[in-house]
mmCIF file of all heavy atoms in Angstrom:
data_model
loop_
_atom_site.group_PDB
_atom_site.id
_atom_site.type_symbol
_atom_site.label_atom_id
_atom_site.label_comp_id
_atom_site.label_asym_id
_atom_site.label_seq_id
_atom_site.Cartn_x
_atom_site.Cartn_y
_atom_site.Cartn_z
ATOM 1 N N ILE S 89 18.652 6.714 -4.503
ATOM 2 C CA ILE S 89 19.175 5.360 -4.320
ATOM 3 C C ILE S 89 18.119 4.442 -3.721
ATOM 4 O O ILE S 89 18.076 3.237 -4.030
ATOM 5 C CB ILE S 89 20.452 5.373 -3.423
ATOM 6 C CG1 ILE S 89 21.202 4.046 -3.537
ATOM 7 C CG2 ILE S 89 20.107 5.664 -1.971
ATOM 8 C CD1 ILE S 89 21.821 3.805 -4.880
ATOM 9 N N PHE S 90 17.233 5.003 -2.897
ATOM 10 C CA PHE S 90 16.137 4.202 -2.332
ATOM 11 C C PHE S 90 15.267 3.646 -3.451
ATOM 12 O O PHE S 90 14.935 2.454 -3.472
ATOM 13 C CB PHE S 90 15.297 5.054 -1.380
ATOM 14 C CG PHE S 90 14.070 4.354 -0.853
ATOM 15 C CD1 PHE S 90 14.122 3.611 0.314
ATOM 16 C CD2 PHE S 90 12.854 4.433 -1.528
ATOM 17 C CE1 PHE S 90 12.990 2.951 0.804
ATOM 18 C CE2 PHE S 90 11.723 3.785 -1.056
ATOM 19 C CZ PHE S 90 11.799 3.053 0.108
ATOM 20 N N TYR S 91 14.896 4.499 -4.397
ATOM 21 C CA TYR S 91 13.980 4.071 -5.457
ATOM 22 C C TYR S 91 14.671 3.266 -6.550
ATOM 23 O O TYR S 91 14.022 2.471 -7.242
ATOM 24 C CB TYR S 91 13.227 5.275 -6.022
ATOM 25 C CG TYR S 91 12.183 5.761 -5.040
ATOM 26 C CD1 TYR S 91 12.388 6.903 -4.282
ATOM 27 C CD2 TYR S 91 11.029 5.018 -4.832
ATOM 28 C CE1 TYR S 91 11.452 7.316 -3.353
ATOM 29 C CE2 TYR S 91 10.079 5.422 -3.902
ATOM 30 C CZ TYR S 91 10.294 6.561 -3.165
ATOM 31 O OH TYR S 91 9.368 6.960 -2.232
ATOM 32 N N ILE S 92 15.960 3.441 -6.703
ATOM 33 C CA ILE S 92 16.695 2.548 -7.611
ATOM 34 C C ILE S 92 16.594 1.108 -7.097
ATOM 35 O O ILE S 92 16.289 0.175 -7.851
ATOM 36 C CB ILE S 92 18.168 2.985 -7.740
ATOM 37 C CG1 ILE S 92 18.274 4.281 -8.546
ATOM 38 C CG2 ILE S 92 19.006 1.878 -8.397
ATOM 39 C CD1 ILE S 92 19.679 4.853 -8.622
ATOM 40 N N ALA S 93 16.840 0.941 -5.800
ATOM 41 C CA ALA S 93 16.720 -0.392 -5.195
ATOM 42 C C ALA S 93 15.277 -0.885 -5.245
ATOM 43 O O ALA S 93 15.011 -2.071 -5.513
ATOM 44 C CB ALA S 93 17.223 -0.360 -3.752
ATOM 45 N N TYR S 94 14.335 0.009 -5.001
ATOM 46 C CA TYR S 94 12.910 -0.347 -4.996
ATOM 47 C C TYR S 94 12.491 -0.890 -6.358
ATOM 48 O O TYR S 94 11.766 -1.885 -6.458
ATOM 49 C CB TYR S 94 12.089 0.883 -4.641
ATOM 50 C CG TYR S 94 10.721 0.595 -4.068
ATOM 51 C CD1 TYR S 94 10.514 0.561 -2.693
ATOM 52 C CD2 TYR S 94 9.622 0.378 -4.894
ATOM 53 C CE1 TYR S 94 9.259 0.323 -2.160
ATOM 54 C CE2 TYR S 94 8.368 0.133 -4.380
ATOM 55 C CZ TYR S 94 8.193 0.111 -3.006
ATOM 56 O OH TYR S 94 6.949 -0.133 -2.484
ATOM 57 N N ILE S 95 12.968 -0.234 -7.420
ATOM 58 C CA ILE S 95 12.622 -0.663 -8.777
ATOM 59 C C ILE S 95 13.294 -1.997 -9.121
ATOM 60 O O ILE S 95 12.660 -2.918 -9.655
ATOM 61 C CB ILE S 95 13.020 0.420 -9.795
ATOM 62 C CG1 ILE S 95 12.155 1.673 -9.606
ATOM 63 C CG2 ILE S 95 12.876 -0.095 -11.224
ATOM 64 C CD1 ILE S 95 12.653 2.880 -10.359
ATOM 65 N N ILE S 96 14.587 -2.105 -8.801
ATOM 66 C CA ILE S 96 15.337 -3.321 -9.145
ATOM 67 C C ILE S 96 14.740 -4.547 -8.460
ATOM 68 O O ILE S 96 14.630 -5.621 -9.064
ATOM 69 C CB ILE S 96 16.821 -3.157 -8.754
ATOM 70 C CG1 ILE S 96 17.494 -2.104 -9.651
ATOM 71 C CG2 ILE S 96 17.558 -4.493 -8.881
ATOM 72 C CD1 ILE S 96 18.916 -1.770 -9.219
ATOM 73 N N PHE S 97 14.338 -4.381 -7.197
ATOM 74 C CA PHE S 97 13.906 -5.539 -6.410
ATOM 75 C C PHE S 97 12.392 -5.637 -6.265
ATOM 76 O O PHE S 97 11.911 -6.431 -5.464
ATOM 77 C CB PHE S 97 14.550 -5.488 -5.016
ATOM 78 C CG PHE S 97 16.028 -5.715 -5.036
ATOM 79 C CD1 PHE S 97 16.921 -4.648 -5.006
ATOM 80 C CD2 PHE S 97 16.544 -7.001 -5.112
ATOM 81 C CE1 PHE S 97 18.283 -4.851 -5.027
ATOM 82 C CE2 PHE S 97 17.910 -7.219 -5.142
ATOM 83 C CZ PHE S 97 18.785 -6.142 -5.104
ATOM 84 N N GLU S 98 11.643 -4.888 -7.080
ATOM 85 C CA GLU S 98 10.189 -4.975 -6.955
ATOM 86 C C GLU S 98 9.655 -6.331 -7.399
ATOM 87 O O GLU S 98 8.527 -6.700 -7.071
ATOM 88 C CB GLU S 98 9.510 -3.849 -7.730
ATOM 89 C CG GLU S 98 8.043 -3.688 -7.366
ATOM 90 C CD GLU S 98 7.501 -2.303 -7.656
ATOM 91 O OE1 GLU S 98 8.298 -1.402 -7.992
ATOM 92 O OE2 GLU S 98 6.281 -2.122 -7.545
ATOM 93 N N PHE S 99 10.461 -7.091 -8.123
ATOM 94 C CA PHE S 99 10.038 -8.451 -8.477
ATOM 95 C C PHE S 99 9.801 -9.303 -7.229
ATOM 96 O O PHE S 99 9.126 -10.342 -7.288
ATOM 97 C CB PHE S 99 11.092 -9.119 -9.369
ATOM 98 C CG PHE S 99 12.358 -9.493 -8.655
ATOM 99 C CD1 PHE S 99 12.484 -10.725 -8.040
ATOM 100 C CD2 PHE S 99 13.427 -8.599 -8.577
ATOM 101 C CE1 PHE S 99 13.656 -11.081 -7.374
ATOM 102 C CE2 PHE S 99 14.593 -8.938 -7.918
ATOM 103 C CZ PHE S 99 14.712 -10.180 -7.306
ATOM 104 N N LEU S 100 10.351 -8.866 -6.077
ATOM 105 C CA LEU S 100 10.130 -9.608 -4.832
ATOM 106 C C LEU S 100 8.659 -9.635 -4.429
ATOM 107 O O LEU S 100 8.257 -10.462 -3.598
ATOM 108 C CB LEU S 100 10.961 -8.995 -3.699
ATOM 109 C CG LEU S 100 12.481 -9.163 -3.805
ATOM 110 C CD1 LEU S 100 13.178 -8.387 -2.698
ATOM 111 C CD2 LEU S 100 12.874 -10.632 -3.746
ATOM 112 N N ALA S 101 7.860 -8.754 -5.020
ATOM 113 C CA ALA S 101 6.422 -8.786 -4.732
ATOM 114 C C ALA S 101 5.807 -10.119 -5.142
ATOM 115 O O ALA S 101 4.773 -10.530 -4.585
ATOM 116 C CB ALA S 101 5.717 -7.638 -5.451
ATOM 117 N N MET S 102 6.434 -10.819 -6.096
ATOM 118 C CA MET S 102 5.923 -12.134 -6.498
ATOM 119 C C MET S 102 6.085 -13.178 -5.402
ATOM 120 O O MET S 102 5.472 -14.253 -5.470
ATOM 121 C CB MET S 102 6.620 -12.590 -7.778
ATOM 122 C CG MET S 102 6.233 -11.799 -9.008
ATOM 123 S SD MET S 102 6.772 -12.573 -10.565
ATOM 124 C CE MET S 102 8.552 -12.442 -10.396
ATOM 125 N N MET S 103 6.895 -12.869 -4.388
ATOM 126 C CA MET S 103 7.061 -13.815 -3.288
ATOM 127 C C MET S 103 5.773 -14.018 -2.498
ATOM 128 O O MET S 103 5.623 -15.032 -1.803
ATOM 129 C CB MET S 103 8.174 -13.325 -2.354
ATOM 130 C CG MET S 103 9.557 -13.294 -2.982
ATOM 131 S SD MET S 103 10.140 -14.911 -3.526
ATOM 132 C CE MET S 103 10.400 -15.731 -1.948
ATOM 133 N N TRP S 104 4.840 -13.066 -2.625
ATOM 134 C CA TRP S 104 3.532 -13.255 -1.975
ATOM 135 C C TRP S 104 2.795 -14.452 -2.568
ATOM 136 O O TRP S 104 1.897 -15.002 -1.923
ATOM 137 C CB TRP S 104 2.681 -11.992 -2.126
ATOM 138 C CG TRP S 104 3.165 -10.824 -1.325
ATOM 139 C CD1 TRP S 104 4.013 -9.850 -1.734
ATOM 140 C CD2 TRP S 104 2.837 -10.521 0.033
ATOM 141 N NE1 TRP S 104 4.238 -8.941 -0.716
ATOM 142 C CE2 TRP S 104 3.518 -9.325 0.381
ATOM 143 C CE3 TRP S 104 2.023 -11.114 0.996
ATOM 144 C CZ2 TRP S 104 3.427 -8.730 1.634
ATOM 145 C CZ3 TRP S 104 1.921 -10.528 2.250
ATOM 146 C CH2 TRP S 104 2.615 -9.359 2.558
ATOM 147 N N LYS S 105 3.153 -14.869 -3.785
ATOM 148 C CA LYS S 105 2.538 -16.040 -4.405
ATOM 149 C C LYS S 105 3.283 -17.329 -4.077
ATOM 150 O O LYS S 105 2.768 -18.424 -4.311
ATOM 151 C CB LYS S 105 2.500 -15.874 -5.929
ATOM 152 C CG LYS S 105 1.442 -14.917 -6.442
ATOM 153 C CD LYS S 105 1.402 -14.880 -7.954
ATOM 154 C CE LYS S 105 0.988 -16.194 -8.561
ATOM 155 N NZ LYS S 105 -0.415 -16.553 -8.310
ATOM 156 N N ILE S 106 4.508 -17.202 -3.564
ATOM 157 C CA ILE S 106 5.353 -18.374 -3.348
ATOM 158 C C ILE S 106 5.456 -18.731 -1.857
ATOM 159 O O ILE S 106 5.352 -19.900 -1.479
ATOM 160 C CB ILE S 106 6.762 -18.122 -3.929
ATOM 161 C CG1 ILE S 106 6.665 -17.840 -5.439
ATOM 162 C CG2 ILE S 106 7.689 -19.291 -3.656
ATOM 163 C CD1 ILE S 106 7.961 -17.381 -6.072
ATOM 164 N N VAL S 107 5.677 -17.722 -1.030
ATOM 165 C CA VAL S 107 5.855 -17.915 0.412
ATOM 166 C C VAL S 107 4.538 -17.595 1.129
ATOM 167 O O VAL S 107 3.843 -16.652 0.727
ATOM 168 C CB VAL S 107 6.981 -16.993 0.937
ATOM 169 C CG1 VAL S 107 7.186 -17.174 2.438
ATOM 170 C CG2 VAL S 107 8.272 -17.265 0.178
ATOM 171 N N PRO S 108 4.148 -18.344 2.154
ATOM 172 C CA PRO S 108 2.958 -17.984 2.919
ATOM 173 C C PRO S 108 3.012 -16.519 3.361
ATOM 174 O O PRO S 108 4.038 -16.070 3.887
ATOM 175 C CB PRO S 108 3.017 -18.931 4.124
ATOM 176 C CG PRO S 108 3.736 -20.128 3.603
ATOM 177 C CD PRO S 108 4.760 -19.597 2.639
#
Side-chain angles (χ1 to χ4, degrees):
I89 195 68
F90 174 90
Y91 287 104
I92 289 175
Y94 203 95
I95 293 168
I96 292 173
F97 291 98
E98 194 157 351
F99 72 89
L100 291 174
M102 290 193 294
M103 295 299 291
W104 290 92
K105 285 184 65 68
I106 300 172
V107 180

